[in-house]
Amino acid sequence: MSTASAEQGVVEGVQTKLFIAGQWRDAAEGGTLPVEDPATGETLTEVADATLDDAKAALAAAHETFPEWRNTAPRERGDVLRRAYDAIMERQDDLALLMTLEMGKPLAESKAEIVYAANFFRWYSEEAVRIDGRYTVSENGAGRVLTMRQPVGPCLFITPWNFPLAMGTRKVGPAIAAGCTMVVKPAKQTPLSMLAMAQILEEAGLPGGVLNVVTASRSGSIMEPLIRDPRTRKLSFTGSTEIGKVLIEQSAEQVLRVSMELGGNAPFLIFEDADLDQAVEGALIAKMRNGGEACTSANRFHVAGEVADEFAEKLAARIGDLKVGRGTEPDVKVGPLIDDDQRGKVAELVDDAVGKGAKVLVGGEKLDGAGYFYRPTVVADVPQNARMLAEEIFGPVAPVKGFSSEDEAIAAANDTEYGLVAYVFTRDINRAFRVIEKLETGMVGLNQGIVSNAGAPFGGIKQSGYGREGGPEGLLEYLETKYVAMNI
């Protein structure tokens, strides 16, 4: 099969309608929205463009299905997830190609995300049967304390474009395991992976109405009324802090349970005793994974002064060798940015830093031709007033700035409104724990450039949000605790 035929085949294999109450249906007004290949700027296909009536129908389905689904045996809920996990793993090549076409990342990275995404279904298939409570004797001995955990209720999920499958399974998996129903609104740029996931869950035996997927060109106009609807009991959002704040305000009306995984500005600290080659390898993963379009992406490199120049040169040499191109091409390591707006922002941040005295060691320019490509970039001697140290870059740009002491490094790392993740490279175990305990982040990568793990709690503090996804903690986000005082 030719490459073009394979691409056409995986796109045509995905439903492009809304998934509501177990049925695939057109948008109420028949509207559609185009899905673009960011490597070429060409339209891959069109999907249904939901109206508010469609969204209300999806919430009604979740509300009506909840009483029955919450009482479904935990093993049955877990078995659905396990069958879905198996199906994703069997189809990982096609799902990876689909993801690359709509999002742009290289096929190898898409395949890694498919496995990562599937693992949330496997993890929560095993956790579904481990939802427990406790039974204890009251301190005065006259009664008993009983606690039980029960599903929160109908949930709303708003997922981003940068990890179009994993950010769905990370929410959907624990919700299904807990006995919740849901309405999912994927990003308009990358709806196909979520629609493919819905097809897989349907095939895996998930009852109609448990999962409802609405694709739409405008999120706010269809989601805000659902957030304010008394039938909704939880909201989970992954995206920018700016939008997250608006959603938090809207959710206050119904006092919703809220999980927010928001923006990041991850510091990457390298001390003078670190293994510099190991640090460079970790930096490549932390910076270049997903082309830098990740909330966990290393946003600024704070390096001990005596090794800062050597690190910057080594990193520039490695980054400069990365092949840029369409993600389906052989040996491509860096794909396009998601759209021209994002590429423009990245270019603007680099220009700002250079204008203030920073030095570009490699890259620093857009690529000519079709698609939204920006050359991987290392910027050294970045001044403190450069915008890229304060703003989330969300692109393949690595700013390097030196520090002179441990305290200075910690202060620089914490000098941000965000607090999602930090990375620390040192061979001194005492220093490692001193630094880790003082870092104002929800996660830390110690001598490694990746923290994502289906069995671990993912989330941040400060303006990076609250709540956790993944691990046992992620399941608790979908459960309420009920306490019973027993007189015996």
Side-chain angles (χ1 to χ4, degrees):
M1 183 183 296
S2 69
T3 300
S5 297
E7 293 177 7
Q8 183 179 359
V10 297
V11 172
E12 291 179 348
V14 180
Q15 279 279 3
T16 56
K17 298 182 179 182
L18 309 177
F19 187 55
I20 299 174
Q23 301 294 320
W24 294 97
R25 61 194 230 186
D26 294 325
E29 297 178 1
T32 61
L33 66 98
V35 181
E36 185 182 53
D37 179 346
T40 64
E42 298 175 355
T43 297
L44 293 167
T45 187
E46 295 192 355
V47 300
D49 190 359
T51 66
L52 178 55
D53 286 342
D54 294 316
K56 287 181 176 178
L59 180 58
H63 175 72
E64 291 164 7
T65 307
F66 175 61
E68 181 178 356
W69 180 244
R70 70 178 296 175
N71 292 320
T72 301
R75 178 63 70 191
E76 290 183 35
R77 301 198 299 262
D79 285 347
V80 169
L81 289 172
R82 181 65 200 205
R83 289 193 293 270
Y85 163 78
D86 290 338
I88 291 173
M89 295 302 291
E90 288 170 4
R91 305 175 197 178
Q92 58 183 290
D93 289 342
D94 285 348
L95 290 169
L97 178 56
L98 182 71
M99 183 181 295
T100 290
L101 292 175
E102 68 171 344
M103 188 271 157
K105 69 181 73 179
L107 271 174
E109 288 205 37
S110 291
K111 289 180 181 179
E113 182 182 337
I114 298 303
V115 174
Y116 174 52
N119 276 338
F120 285 104
F121 280 179
R122 179 171 65 174
W123 176 271
Y124 287 110
S125 75
E126 297 161 351
E127 291 294 290
V129 296
R130 297 186 177 90
I131 298 171
D132 56 16
R134 63 188 176 96
Y135 177 87
T136 57
V137 178
S138 298
E139 60 180 349
N140 62 8
R144 299 295 181 267
V145 173
L146 174 68
T147 66
M148 61 184 73
R149 298 192 189 278
Q150 298 179 313
V152 169
C155 305
L156 301 180
F157 299 152
I158 303 174
T159 61
W161 50 260
N162 57 339
F163 290 93
L165 186 62
M167 298 302 97
T169 60
R170 198 161 76 177
K171 300 179 193 298
V172 172
I176 288 176
C180 294
T181 55
M182 65 218 78
V183 177
V184 183
K185 210 296 289 182
K188 65 181 180 181
Q189 297 95 329
T190 57
L192 300 179
S193 293
M194 190 70 68
L195 292 167
M197 182 200 73
Q199 287 177 253
I200 286 172
L201 282 167
E202 181 185 26
E203 294 170 17
L206 186 69
V210 175
L211 169 70
N212 303 274
V213 179
V214 291
T215 52
S217 56
R218 295 178 301 278
S219 181
S221 61
I222 69 166
M223 295 307 288
E224 180 177 355
L226 270 58
I227 292 170
R228 298 185 186 278
D229 192 301
R231 294 173 295 183
T232 300
R233 295 311 318 140
K234 178 177 173 63
L235 168 67
S236 179
F237 169 73
T238 300
S240 72
T241 296
E242 179 184 11
I243 295 176
K245 289 178 179 179
V246 173
L247 297 176
I248 292 168
E249 183 178 359
Q250 294 172 1
S251 69
E253 183 173 315
Q254 297 298 330
V255 196
L256 297 186
R257 284 280 295 272
V258 178
S259 299
M260 289 280 147
E261 199 270 279
L262 307 178
N265 185 4
F268 193 109
L269 307 183
I270 303 172
F271 291 92
E272 67 277 3
D273 58 60
D275 181 325
L276 213 55
D277 291 331
Q278 182 187 38
V280 170
E281 293 302 318
L284 278 171
I285 296 171
K287 177 71 260 183
M288 298 310 299
R289 181 184 179 217
N290 225 48
E293 293 179 308
C295 56
T296 54
S297 176
N299 207 67
R300 50 209 165 95
F301 292 84
H302 299 284
V303 188
E306 51 263 56
V307 296
D309 289 344
E310 183 182 357
F311 169 79
E313 290 168 4
K314 286 188 172 186
L315 182 63
R318 293 295 305 278
I319 282 182
D321 285 340
L322 298 177
K323 182 179 177 180
V324 181
R326 191 167 188 251
T328 55
E329 297 172 0
D331 302 321
V332 164
K333 303 299 182 184
V334 183
L337 295 171
I338 191 63
D339 55 34
D340 201 42
D341 287 344
Q342 184 58 33
R343 182 171 65 166
K345 179 190 174 184
V346 171
E348 187 178 297
L349 291 175
V350 172
D351 292 344
D352 170 78
V354 172
K356 292 172 180 174
K359 180 172 63 175
V360 174
L361 299 185
V362 68
E365 60 187 2
K366 299 178 182 179
L367 272 67
D368 295 331
Y372 310 118
F373 296 95
Y374 192 88
R375 194 174 300 282
T377 300
V378 176
V379 187
D381 303 326
V382 180
Q384 188 59 41
N385 63 342
R387 286 173 50 198
M388 65 171 56
L389 294 182
E391 300 179 26
E392 191 170 22
I393 300 170
F394 236 63
V397 177
V400 180
K401 182 175 175 58
F403 64 77
S404 58
S405 70
E406 183 178 306
D407 288 342
E408 181 185 333
I410 294 168
N414 291 336
D415 185 20
T416 174
E417 63 190 12
Y418 300 104
L420 185 61
V421 63
Y423 303 92
V424 178
F425 277 72
T426 177
R427 284 184 279 198
D428 184 333
I429 191 64
N430 294 324
R431 165 179 277 161
F433 276 93
R434 283 197 309 269
V435 172
I436 287 170
E437 290 181 2
K438 292 177 182 178
L439 287 173
E440 297 170 354
T441 59
M443 302 177 288
V444 178
L446 177 58
N447 293 325
Q448 65 180 56
I450 190 168
V451 297
S452 300
N453 184 327
F458 187 105
I461 61 174
K462 301 198 297 189
Q463 293 196 34
S464 287
Y466 46 79
R468 294 296 182 267
E469 294 184 322
E473 296 86 351
L475 185 60
L476 295 178
E477 298 285 335
Y478 297 91
L479 296 167
E480 299 281 14
T481 298
K482 180 178 286 184
Y483 152 58
V484 181
M486 297 178 61
N487 181 356
I488 63 169

